[in-house]
């Protein structure tokens, strides 16, 4: 869930450049949502909930009190007498009694295979059936405010689908200023369509940023005329494994005898809510087993 709720700051502005918000439908999540809102971690928005001051506030809140290492790339897993060991690219090692792999399905499958045992190979084979598409996400700052009519145009803080559909590059365009606690500057998170992202997967980030900034301005100009702000700054980030296009029916995968499992958004609900429910399901199985 941490990847889905990733936020990034550019020139003092927080951009939720993966999931700009999330809907919640499962009643099991309701008590937690009430708690997170009471703690000021989330605030209700038109489409559900958004993190405060950014979507990553939720992951930070859930990680409070835990020992968390960041900036390490785990490359191999190994079964030990006492449980599991994970090794990173720099030679660092971490050990524990149980192992949870919570990264995109293709990466999770590769890590589980590195353990070189039949049980983890079987879990990896299940994850091989998950299909994912990439996404270029671009953080765009315009060089002036939208006219009042432009702000009235927005539905739920986003460009209407009728406008994004007319621009082949665009899938989602979210105005960050429409979220609680955000500055009023004209900053947008713009996500490319799956087809465009796949076709331009290996393009330079600067080229993608320019293209997506232009796509946003073009879509705005379609509705408001040519007198719309231009792009002051655009920064693009590639998510190679962004959207689940074919998932599993299982909420999580586990091999209880070895105390190992995988959780994430690969299940029937490939979003923030689904990732959280997947993690809770796996925790219940490992702790209960």
């Amino acid at each position: 869930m941490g990847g889905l709720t990733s936020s990034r700051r550019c020139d003092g502005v927080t951009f939720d450049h993966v999931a700009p918000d999330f809907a919640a439908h499962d009643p099991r999540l309701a008590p937690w949502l009430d708690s997170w809102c009471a703690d000021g971690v989330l605030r209700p928005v038109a489409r559900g909930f958004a993190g405060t001051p950014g979507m990553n506030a939720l992951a930070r809140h859930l990680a409070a009190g835990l020992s968390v290492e960041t900036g390490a790339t785990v490359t191999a897993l190994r079964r030990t007498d006492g449980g599991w060991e994970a090794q990173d690219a720099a030679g660092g090692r971490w050990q524990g009694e149980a192992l949870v792999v919570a990264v995109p399905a293709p990466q999770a499958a590769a890590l589980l295979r590195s353990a070189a045992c039949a049980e983890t190979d079987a879990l990896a084979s299940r994850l091989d059936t998950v299909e994912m598409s990439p996404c270029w996400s671009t953080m765009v700052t315009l060089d002036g405010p939208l006219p009042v009519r432009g702000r009235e145009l927005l539905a739920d803080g986003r460009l209407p689908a009728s406008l994004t559909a007319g621009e082949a590059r665009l899938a989602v365009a979210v105005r960050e200023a429409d979220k609680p606690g955000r500055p009023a500057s004209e900053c947008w998170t713009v996500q490319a369509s799956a087809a465009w992202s796949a076709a331009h997967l290996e393009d330079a980030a600067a080229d993608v940023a320019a293209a997506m900034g232009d796509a946003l301005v073009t879509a705005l100009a379609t509705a408001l005329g040519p007198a719309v702000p231009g792009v002051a700054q655009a920064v693009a980030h590639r998510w190679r494994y962004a959207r689940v296009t074919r998932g599993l029916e299982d909420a999580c995968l586990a091999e209880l005898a070895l105390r190992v499992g995988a959780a994430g958004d690969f299940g029937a609900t490939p979003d923030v809510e689904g990732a959280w429910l997947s993690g809770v399901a796996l925790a219940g199985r490992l702790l209960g087993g």
Side-chain angles (χ1 to χ4, degrees):
M1 191 180 76
L4 285 171
T5 59
S6 176
S7 300
R8 182 167 170 176
R9 288 183 65 80
C10 292
D11 289 341
V13 178
T14 298
F15 293 84
D16 296 323
H17 63 150
V18 186
D21 47 43
F22 71 97
H25 305 290
D26 195 299
R28 291 173 293 178
L29 193 55
W32 296 90
L33 291 170
D34 291 342
S35 174
W36 295 333
C37 287
D39 289 338
V41 177
L42 297 180
R43 290 189 187 181
V45 294
R47 296 176 59 86
F49 298 88
T52 304
M55 284 293 288
N56 62 358
L58 179 56
R60 291 180 183 276
H61 180 73
L62 293 174
L66 301 178
S67 176
V68 178
E69 295 282 345
T70 61
T73 301
V74 175
T75 56
L77 306 174
R78 185 173 69 89
R79 179 77 175 148
T80 67
D81 291 340
W84 287 93
E85 179 182 87
Q87 180 175 326
D88 71 17
R93 287 180 167 82
W94 293 270
Q95 294 184 340
E97 296 179 1
L99 174 68
V100 172
V101 181
V103 294
Q107 296 170 322
L111 280 175
L112 288 166
R113 282 199 172 88
S114 73
C117 67
E119 292 85 351
T120 53
D121 283 351
L123 295 180
S125 294
R126 296 288 308 284
L127 290 169
D128 286 338
T129 66
V130 176
E131 296 179 0
M132 304 191 72
S133 64
C135 178
W136 274 106
S137 185
T138 304
M139 294 149 281
V140 180
T141 302
L142 300 181
D143 61 12
L146 288 182
V148 172
R149 189 166 65 90
R151 292 192 293 275
E152 291 175 347
L153 168 75
L154 300 179
D156 303 339
R158 303 182 181 208
L159 279 184
S162 58
L163 291 180
T164 56
E167 170 51 71
R169 291 169 286 189
L170 279 180
V172 176
V174 179
R175 187 172 183 260
E176 294 291 348
D178 287 336
K179 297 179 183 178
R182 303 298 175 89
S185 55
E186 206 61 63
C187 298
W188 293 71
T189 294
V190 181
Q191 295 180 346
S193 66
W196 194 92
S197 294
H200 297 269
L201 187 61
E202 304 302 336
D203 286 8
D207 293 339
V208 171
M212 297 311 299
D214 177 69
L216 174 63
V217 171
T218 298
L220 289 170
T222 299
L224 305 174
V228 297
V231 175
Q233 176 177 280
V235 178
H237 183 94
R238 179 182 62 192
W239 298 99
R240 189 176 291 275
Y241 304 113
R243 301 182 179 103
V244 176
T245 55
R246 187 178 75 174
L248 302 177
E249 293 184 0
D250 308 83
C252 65
L253 299 178
E255 176 53 63
L256 298 183
L258 298 185
R259 303 202 68 193
V260 59
D265 64 347
F266 54 71
T269 309
D271 55 17
V272 173
E273 179 184 43
W276 186 85
L277 291 170
S278 176
V280 170
L282 181 55
R285 294 190 66 184
L286 292 178
L287 294 174

